[in-house]
Amino acid sequence: MSDGRYKARMQRKKAHIDSRIEQANIDKGIIVLLTGNGKGKSSSALGMVCRALGYDMKIGIAKFLKGVQDTGEDAFLAKQPNVQTVSMKTGFTWDTQDKEFDTAMAVETWQKAQNYLEDESIDLVVLDELTYMVSYKYLDEQLILDALNNRPSNQHVVITGRAASDGLIEIANTISEVKDVQHAFRENIKAQKGIDL
Ligand code: ATP
Ligand code: MG
């Protein structure tokens, strides 16, 4: 391609991008859903927490169905005055093998998450591993959708977890599916600090 043709093509591209940026003039809280079987959902949510902290935004994090082991980010977030956290901390369901207990813990954690979703002062709410609460029927999907719909209009929400339900897919503004191509665990490499936990 000649220099002239390349330049003309780039100019057309820039005009198109500029006009798309101009059209996107709505400012509102959005729901980001990170799902799929690959690694990178919760750590991506943490990336957005990091971004938000850079703007002194207030953050509420609810961790559902998490392993009992603390992660590096738990230690980091505990030092952040702008971050509130609630953690279900019951271990995975195949560890507890007690559905009634898991459900009660899920409901308790959800009530705290719901407080975040009603709090105008919280700019970003992370609902980590929430999708399992719906698929295991620990929480009523409609209850979650109602709380999401009724939240403050400028509040952002990030939801993570595999196998997101249709209702969550319907309500989310941005959805990314992380694909599992390969994972070090299958090479018998154990979970690594700073990467996996
Ligand atoms: P991360 O927290 O690393 O972003 P994630 O939120 O996408 O991962 P989860 O299903 O919540 O994934 O699992 C968290 C833990 O399980 C991490 O230690 C992660 O490395 C590991 N993991 C995630 N996906 C896979 C996979 N496909 N195979 C094996 N281990 C995985
Ligand atoms: Mg996760």
Side-chain angles (χ1 to χ4, degrees):
M1 195 185 296
S2 71
D3 281 359
R5 269 186 66 198
Y6 177 77
K7 200 166 177 200
R9 197 169 131 187
M10 286 300 128
Q11 270 167 355
R12 278 200 303 277
K13 194 168 178 169
K14 182 170 170 12
H16 174 70
I17 293 169
D18 285 350
S19 95
R20 287 296 293 120
I21 291 171
E22 209 167 303
Q23 269 177 54
N25 57 7
I26 302 166
D27 199 10
K28 64 173 280 218
I30 63 163
I31 299 175
V32 178
L33 174 61
L34 303 169
T35 191
N37 294 334
K39 173 196 157 44
K41 301 174 290 293
S42 299
S43 41
S44 167
L46 258 299
M48 283 174 265
V49 167
C50 215
R51 285 182 169 173
L53 283 175
Y55 297 105
D56 294 322
M57 289 162 74
K58 303 265 188 301
I59 296 144
I61 304 176
K63 290 185 157 203
F64 293 91
L65 208 71
K66 233 12 241 186
V68 275
Q69 193 167 35
D70 279 346
T71 57
E73 67 262 26
D74 292 328
F76 172 75
L77 293 171
K79 294 181 211 149
Q80 300 299 321
N82 282 350
V83 179
Q84 301 175 55
T85 310
V86 57
S87 184
M88 195 157 129
K89 263 201 179 151
T90 55
F92 288 105
T93 184
W94 50 88
D95 288 333
T96 62
Q97 294 155 9
D98 183 347
K99 184 159 182 175
E100 225 167 88
F101 178 74
D102 282 350
T103 307
M105 294 305 282
V107 169
E108 197 183 300
T109 310
W110 170 251
Q111 276 158 357
K112 298 202 176 108
Q114 202 162 352
N115 291 341
Y116 296 155
L117 293 168
E118 287 167 1
D119 187 340
E120 298 255 351
S121 75
I122 297 186
D123 304 294
L124 169 63
V125 178
V126 176
L127 304 171
D128 194 35
E129 321 297 345
L130 180 72
T131 59
Y132 304 100
M133 301 299 100
V134 179
S135 52
Y136 297 165
K137 299 204 173 7
Y138 291 172
L139 295 177
D140 176 40
E141 188 193 50
Q142 197 52 53
L143 204 78
I144 294 170
L145 297 178
D146 289 347
L148 289 170
N149 274 321
N150 294 327
R151 76 191 195 283
S153 63
N154 288 320
Q155 187 183 71
H156 300 299
V157 180
V158 181
I159 299 169
T160 81
R162 296 177 190 201
S165 62
D166 292 344
L168 290 177
I169 289 169
E170 182 72 27
I171 202 172
N173 303 99
T174 295
I175 306 173
S176 294
E177 187 171 354
V178 184
K179 188 178 160 189
D180 177 26
V181 177
Q182 167 63 315
H183 194 286
F185 185 65
R186 292 202 285 278
E187 291 178 56
N188 290 333
I189 300 169
K190 67 180 191 182
Q192 296 293 305
K193 279 184 185 167
I195 301 293
D196 298 300
L197 71 159

